[in-house]
Amino acid sequence: MSKRLVIGNWKMNPKSLKEAEALFKGIVTASKDSKNVDIVVCPPYPFLTTAKKVPNKKIKLGAQDTSEMLEGSYTSQVSSSMISSLGATYVIIGHSERRSIGDTDEIVNKKILQALKSKLIPVVCIGENVRDTHGDYLALVKYQLIDCLKNVSKLQMKNIVIAYEPVWAIGSHATRVATPEEFTEMKIFIRKVLSDIFDSKVAHATRVLYGGSVNPQNAQAFVDATADGFLVGRDSLNPKKFGAIIAVCK
Ligand code: 13P
């Protein structure tokens, strides 16, 4: 089994470079004793280089998004090769907070293909906005996987991570946290879809993370429910809590 993976998504936090440096240092200290866990921190773009300067061998860096374009006249866009040249190795793609402002599955797919070209590991976010009683959310997740992973090869799947983040469980407006049982069911479903698109070997080798109101109290239950790790929002801004979530994944 591959190591569990814990990713901190700082979103649009903290407010300043100074605070970002302090936060990153705090996370380095809090995760010192964390053998057998892969740790990634995804700060906003301007803080990637700050984090890079803090000496540590353990924590890898990631960006929170990438452009679907290679280069050129695209004001405000940041390309995968730029991210890679800053020393980052991961990139979150298709986060629901990006999807809510226009990222379609087609755009997410283009971003994944660009990221792979620059040797970044895409953390592909999928998940439904609401759970209905007819199971329509399963069809939605299925087509997110099919459309987002179009033209991705079996070999490239070795460098892709799936993060299941039900939108209703994310952030301070979450209606509730997903239950570990709901995660287990969804992971089985995701594996089935990956098996249909690729094969069962790919389906079993792909890490499926849980994201949505993860905290030190609920993390163990998700690990017991076969989560291969976490995509953490709010609690990645608190080194003590983030460290405690990492400790659960050891
Ligand atoms: P929270 O952990 O704050 O719910 O955010 C989850 C998330 O969106 C991580 O990408």
Side-chain angles (χ1 to χ4, degrees), residues 9 11 95 97 165 169-171 212-214 231-234:
N9 176 8
K11 306 192 178 182
H95 193 280
E97 287 154 14
E165 293 208 309
I170 293 177
S213 302
V214 176
L231 182 52
V232 186
R234 281 158 296 165

Side-chain angles (χ1 to χ4, degrees), residues 1 11 75 80 141 154 186 200-201 228:
M1 200 192 93
K11 306 192 178 182
T75 302
S80 288
V141 167
K154 281 187 200 175
M186 188 53 88
S200 65
K201 209 169 149 202
D228 299 312

Side-chain angles (χ1 to χ4, degrees), residues 128-196:
E128 74 282 3
N129 285 330
V130 285
R131 279 219 169 184
D132 58 289
T133 48
H134 305 289
D136 286 351
Y137 67 95
L138 291 171
L140 182 127
V141 167
K142 175 179 165 179
Y143 285 104
Q144 280 182 335
L145 283 166
I146 292 173
D147 295 341
C148 294
L149 297 175
K150 208 170 147 194
N151 298 324
V152 172
S153 70
K154 281 187 200 175
L155 201 64
Q156 286 172 319
M157 279 304 289
K158 284 194 175 147
N159 293 319
I160 287 201
V161 175
I162 303 293
Y164 172 61
E165 293 208 309
V167 182
W168 45 267
I170 293 177
S172 50
H173 300 297
T175 44
R176 64 177 177 89
V177 185
T179 64
E181 294 74 26
E182 283 169 329
F183 174 76
T184 308
E185 275 169 24
M186 188 53 88
K187 186 174 168 190
I188 293 169
F189 181 72
I190 290 168
R191 282 202 161 156
K192 164 83 180 94
V193 177
L194 291 178
S195 184
D196 290 345

Side-chain angles (χ1 to χ4, degrees), residues 52-224:
K52 185 93 204 315
K53 279 187 208 143
V54 179
N56 103 90
K57 289 200 187 92
K58 178 80 202 155
I59 301 174
K60 301 216 164 68
L61 289 174
Q64 297 174 15
D65 189 26
T66 185
S67 173
E68 70 267 39
M69 268 79 71
L70 187 62
E71 63 182 342
S73 306
Y74 304 107
T75 302
S76 91
Q77 297 276 324
V78 176
S79 74
S80 288
S81 67
M82 292 172 186
I83 294 165
S84 174
S85 74
L86 291 178
T89 44
Y90 285 74
V91 59
I92 297 170
I93 301 180
H95 193 280
S96 56
E97 287 154 14
R98 290 286 328 163
R99 290 179 185 267
S100 71
I101 51 171
D103 278 15
T104 59
D105 288 337
E106 197 187 343
I107 292 174
V108 171
N109 175 247
K110 285 183 181 158
K111 290 183 174 184
I112 291 171
L113 296 174
Q114 286 294 358
L116 288 169
K117 270 189 210 154
S118 292
K119 307 257 179 296
L120 294 173
I121 298 178
V123 178
V124 181
C125 298
I126 54 168
E128 74 282 3
N129 285 330
V130 285
R131 279 219 169 184
D132 58 289
T133 48
H134 305 289
D136 286 351
Y137 67 95
L138 291 171
L140 182 127
V141 167
K142 175 179 165 179
Y143 285 104
Q144 280 182 335
L145 283 166
I146 292 173
D147 295 341
C148 294
L149 297 175
K150 208 170 147 194
N151 298 324
V152 172
S153 70
K154 281 187 200 175
L155 201 64
Q156 286 172 319
M157 279 304 289
K158 284 194 175 147
N159 293 319
I160 287 201
V161 175
I162 303 293
Y164 172 61
E165 293 208 309
V167 182
W168 45 267
I170 293 177
S172 50
H173 300 297
T175 44
R176 64 177 177 89
V177 185
T179 64
E181 294 74 26
E182 283 169 329
F183 174 76
T184 308
E185 275 169 24
M186 188 53 88
K187 186 174 168 190
I188 293 169
F189 181 72
I190 290 168
R191 282 202 161 156
K192 164 83 180 94
V193 177
L194 291 178
S195 184
D196 290 345
I197 306 173
F198 301 99
D199 59 31
S200 65
K201 209 169 149 202
V202 168
H204 282 272
T206 305
R207 291 197 275 197
V208 182
L209 313 185
Y210 172 71
S213 302
V214 176
N215 60 40
Q217 289 73 41
N218 63 24
Q220 185 65 55
F222 283 103
V223 166
D224 295 344

